[in-house]
């Protein structure tokens, strides 16, 4: 039975574990909307199959699908991937999905944040988003997990935790007037502390250049382990990403985590600019209220948007000269995981990457 609780996680002894803690499995949502995914979403579906298959080498994967796509998804996905009907507006499980909490005694619950499609009517990416907003409640019902309903607009990709009391985020996103205009920075910290259990915040300024999420942290920086943060980097001072990454480096270099540690930064050089081609742009339906995909636009490509699963890490690659070094560097710093690259341009074309389309459910 799944109950909606009227308490808050911290008071109940629950906190958000790090992504690198043990998982029960991974949740994803199936892509289909033709105003975001080109060519009837067929290339994206193949890439989602590749991501789900890669993760399923390490842990169970559940794919939520809209009713009309159930048979197609079931047919395209390997049998070890569970396919369940979960109506949704698009496929960004990291952002519209739940954030799970544990109490260290074997119990798991989830947080259901308010979702407004990355900005609602002030720069949001599509309309409506009502089905997305119900996804966490449906996951709670399917799993029989109790749910905390948090009255704050927040996407899972806008925060990272180290599992030891520290939260990493960006001002560009969390302080954006299209999320929680009535809350101050301090009030946002207070709500997030109460729900995630953290006591220390590391605020970066901006995220990746042209990131349509308003700078989600999961595209620019992530914890590899407590005290070690991977950061998307460029050596090119003329690249529009340079001041963003340099500012993040400066802030991280001066930060202390909840345990009083300084942060070690692992630079992961970004791929060369990834630009939307005319053919890619023409494959996307044009719909009022949905962000267009214009030929010539630079996409927010980053290797940091990878996903850690039990014994593995699934990393986006772009057929780029920097791919090999990114994989090698991440592998070198995660010796207990097998790093797997998945060609991810099709996900990037939709506005995010592998981390954005996955959500871990921790082990109890
Ligand atoms: O987390 C993300 N990067 C999601 C982006 C949503 C894109 C919708 N077009």
């Amino acid at each position: 039975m799944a109950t909606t609780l009227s308490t808050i996680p911290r008071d109940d002894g629950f906190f958000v574990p790090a992504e690198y803690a043990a998982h029960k499995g991974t949740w994803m949502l199936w892509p289909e909307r033709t105003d975001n995914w080109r060519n009837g979403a067929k290339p994206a579906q193949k890439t989602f199959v590749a991501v789900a298959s890669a993760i399923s080498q390490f842990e169970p994967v559940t794919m939520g699908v809209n009713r009309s796509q159930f048979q197609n998804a079931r047919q395209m996905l390997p049998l070890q991937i569970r396919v369940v009907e979960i109506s949704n507006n698009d496929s960004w499980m990291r952002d519209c999905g739940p954030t799970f909490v544990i109490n260290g005694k074997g119990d798991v619950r989830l947080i259901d944040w308010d979702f407004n499609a990355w900005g609602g009517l002030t720069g949001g990416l599509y309309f409506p988003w009502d089905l997305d907003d119900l996804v966490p409640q449906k996951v709670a019902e399917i799993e029989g997990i109790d749910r905390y309903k948090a009255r704050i607009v927040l996407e899972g990709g806008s925060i990272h935790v180290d599992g030891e009391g520290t939260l990493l985020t960006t001002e560009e996103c969390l302080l954006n007037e299209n999320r929680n205009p009535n809350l101050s920075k301090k009030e946002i910290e207070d709500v997030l502390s109460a729900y995630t259990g953290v006591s220390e915040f590391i605020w970066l300024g901006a995220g990746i250049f042209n990131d349509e999420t308003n700078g989600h942290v999961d595209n620019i920086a992530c914890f590899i382990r407590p005290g070690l943060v991977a950061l998307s980097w460029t050596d090119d001072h003329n690249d529009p990403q340079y001041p963003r990454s340099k500012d993040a480096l400066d802030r991280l270099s001066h930060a202390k985590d909840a345990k009083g540690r300084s942060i070690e930064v692992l630079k992961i050089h970004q791929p060369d600019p990834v630009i939307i081609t005319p053919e890619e742009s023409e494959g996307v339906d044009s719909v009022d209220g949905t962000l267009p995909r214009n030929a010539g636009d630079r996409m927010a490509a980053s290797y940091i948007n990878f996903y850690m699963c039990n014994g593995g890490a699934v990393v986006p690659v772009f057929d780029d000269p920097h791919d090999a070094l990114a994989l090698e560097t991440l592998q070198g710093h995660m010796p207990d995981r097998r790093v797997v690259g998945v060609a991810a341009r099709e996900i990037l074309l939709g506005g995010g990457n592998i981390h954005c389309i996955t959500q871990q459910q921790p082990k109890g």
Side-chain angles (χ1 to χ4, degrees):
M1 195 178 70
T3 306
T4 300
L5 303 158
S6 52
T7 51
I8 57 170
R10 187 185 52 203
D11 294 348
D12 297 341
F14 282 76
F15 64 96
V16 179
E19 190 171 311
Y20 37 74
H23 298 180
K24 178 179 178 197
T26 298
W27 290 84
M28 296 177 67
L29 292 169
W30 185 249
E32 67 167 283
R33 58 184 300 156
T34 55
D35 58 348
N36 193 57
W37 305 104
R38 73 184 180 114
N39 299 356
K42 280 294 148 206
Q45 290 175 357
K46 286 186 186 143
T47 305
F48 275 54
V49 170
V51 171
S53 302
I55 297 169
S56 73
Q57 300 171 67
F58 301 103
E59 63 188 50
V61 177
T62 302
M63 185 71 73
V65 300
N66 282 312
R67 185 180 60 173
S68 59
Q69 281 289 314
F70 179 82
Q71 286 185 309
N72 178 47
R74 180 62 286 168
Q75 199 271 329
M76 288 181 70
L77 288 158
L79 282 178
Q80 75 268 21
I81 292 164
R82 174 170 70 153
V83 181
V84 297
E85 210 177 290
I86 301 181
S87 313
N88 60 82
N89 302 105
D90 201 2
S91 45
W92 306 98
M93 187 52 114
R94 174 67 50 188
D95 291 341
C96 69
T99 300
F100 292 88
V101 289
I102 61 172
N103 64 356
K105 298 177 190 160
D107 300 312
V108 180
R109 296 176 178 171
L110 63 78
I111 307 169
D112 177 352
W113 313 103
D114 285 342
F115 179 75
N116 75 353
W118 309 272
L121 300 181
T122 321
L125 300 179
Y126 50 71
F127 178 88
W129 53 84
D130 55 326
L131 297 175
D132 285 345
D133 200 26
L134 288 173
V135 168
Q137 192 172 0
K138 292 178 181 175
V139 170
E141 288 288 341
I142 291 168
E143 289 292 296
I145 287 182
D146 290 342
R147 174 178 78 114
Y148 294 101
K149 180 67 199 118
R151 300 284 169 200
I152 184 172
V153 173
L154 190 110
E155 305 97 41
S158 69
I159 56 170
H160 264 309
V161 297
D162 70 352
E164 296 192 357
T166 314
L167 187 148
L168 186 62
T169 189
T170 63
E171 292 169 350
E172 182 186 354
C173 183
L174 260 61
L175 304 188
N176 198 300
E177 60 172 21
N178 63 15
R179 299 309 207 278
N180 297 286
N182 299 324
L183 294 182
S184 68
K185 189 175 193 177
K186 168 81 170 57
E187 287 167 333
I188 289 171
E189 287 189 351
D190 288 346
V191 176
L192 291 186
S193 294
Y195 277 87
T196 67
V198 304
S199 56
E200 190 65 38
F201 287 77
I202 302 178
W203 287 91
L204 306 183
I208 294 291
F209 174 69
N210 265 0
D211 188 327
E212 64 199 61
T213 64
N214 306 117
H216 271 188
V217 74
D218 72 345
N219 211 19
I220 186 169
C222 67
F223 289 105
I224 300 272
R225 55 175 156 76
L228 177 62
V229 169
L231 172 67
S232 189
W233 185 254
T234 175
D235 290 324
D236 179 358
H237 290 217
N238 295 317
D239 189 292
Q241 183 56 37
Y242 182 80
R244 294 167 170 258
S245 290
K246 176 70 170 65
D247 177 64
L249 177 65
D250 292 344
R251 293 183 189 223
L252 286 164
S253 305
H254 291 104
K256 290 266 196 285
D257 68 14
K259 301 276 187 202
R261 285 176 292 239
S262 296
I263 303 293
E264 188 189 337
V265 179
L266 176 66
K267 291 178 182 170
I268 304 289
H269 201 287
Q270 67 180 10
D272 290 337
V274 183
I275 309 293
I276 301 178
T277 66
E279 189 198 348
E280 287 169 338
S281 171
E282 282 161 18
V284 180
D285 291 351
S286 183
V287 168
D288 278 352
T290 301
L291 191 77
R293 306 274 154 216
N294 296 321
D297 281 356
R298 174 167 164 179
M299 295 184 279
S302 160
Y303 297 107
I304 298 298
N305 210 304
F306 67 88
Y307 179 61
M308 284 189 239
C309 41
N310 294 337
V314 183
V315 182
V317 291
F318 306 95
D319 195 17
D320 182 276
H322 299 90
D323 288 354
L325 183 60
L327 294 175
E328 195 182 303
T329 308
L330 289 170
Q331 184 64 79
H333 286 79
M334 296 190 282
D336 49 346
R337 294 177 192 279
R338 184 155 58 82
V339 170
V340 178
V342 172
R345 184 180 177 105
E346 294 296 337
I347 314 176
L348 184 60
L349 270 165
N353 225 308
I354 292 172
H355 195 258
C356 310
I357 62 167
T358 50
Q359 180 62 253
Q360 68 277 5
Q361 178 172 346
K363 263 207 173 98

